[in-house]
Amino acid sequence: TEWLRVEDVLSAEEAAQLRTETEAELLEPAFVDKVARAMAGGREVKHDAKGLFLLGPSAAGKSTLLRRGHAEVPDGALDLDGNFVREQSSCWAKALAIAEDKKLAGLSNYFDDYFK
C-alpha cells in the first residue's frame, strides 16, 4: 500500500483546512494536558534532571524496548514518543480515515510542518 502527500489526495482548500485544524488541536491546552498525562503513563512526573534517550529510526523498537523493561527508565520520567500525540489526536484519526478511504497506507507529509 502506498503513501501519498496530503496535497495529492485533498484539494488545496481541504489540505489547508486539515492543517489548520491540526495546528489548532496541537496548541489547545486541554490537548497538551491529555498528551502529557499519556506520556507520564499514570506516574508522577519528577523534575530532577535525569533522563534516558533512546534514539533510532521509526519502527526500530524503541517503545517496545521500554515496554518490555529492557532499559532502566528514571523514576518520574516522561516517555516523549510521538505515538502519544497521534493516539490522542482527533485530527490524526481524521487523516487516517482519509487515507483509508483512498486505500492508502497514510499521508506521507501530514506532520512535516510540526515534527522532525
Side-chain angles (χ1 to χ4, degrees):
T1 310
E2 68 179 315
W3 291 70
L4 292 177
R5 296 173 57 247
V6 173
E7 295 77 12
D8 294 335
V9 175
L10 302 175
S11 70
E13 184 177 308
E14 290 171 321
Q17 180 63 32
L18 181 61
R19 292 190 186 287
T20 297
E21 290 172 8
T22 301
E23 184 172 350
E25 181 181 55
L26 291 172
L27 295 173
E28 176 62 40
F31 178 76
V32 173
D33 288 343
K34 185 167 62 167
V35 171
R37 284 191 307 275
M39 288 179 171
R43 300 175 305 270
E44 178 186 352
V45 176
K46 295 185 179 180
H47 304 277
D48 58 3
K50 292 181 182 176
L52 169 69
F53 294 87
L54 294 177
L55 305 174
S58 295
K62 301 177 297 291
S63 296
T64 301
L65 183 86
L66 290 174
R67 271 194 312 278
R68 292 184 179 168
H70 296 297
E72 187 175 333
V73 179
D75 189 38
L78 285 175
D79 185 349
L80 301 178
D81 187 327
N83 192 49
F84 290 111
V85 176
R86 293 186 296 273
E87 287 176 350
Q88 303 299 320
S89 172
S90 61
C91 291
W92 178 260
K94 182 178 179 178
L96 286 178
I98 291 168
E100 185 176 288
D101 183 56
K102 306 287 186 186
K103 309 264 189 280
L104 299 170
L107 302 172
S108 64
N109 65 335
Y110 175 59
F111 270 130
D112 280 358
D113 292 340
Y114 310 104
F115 304 106
K116 297 201 192 255

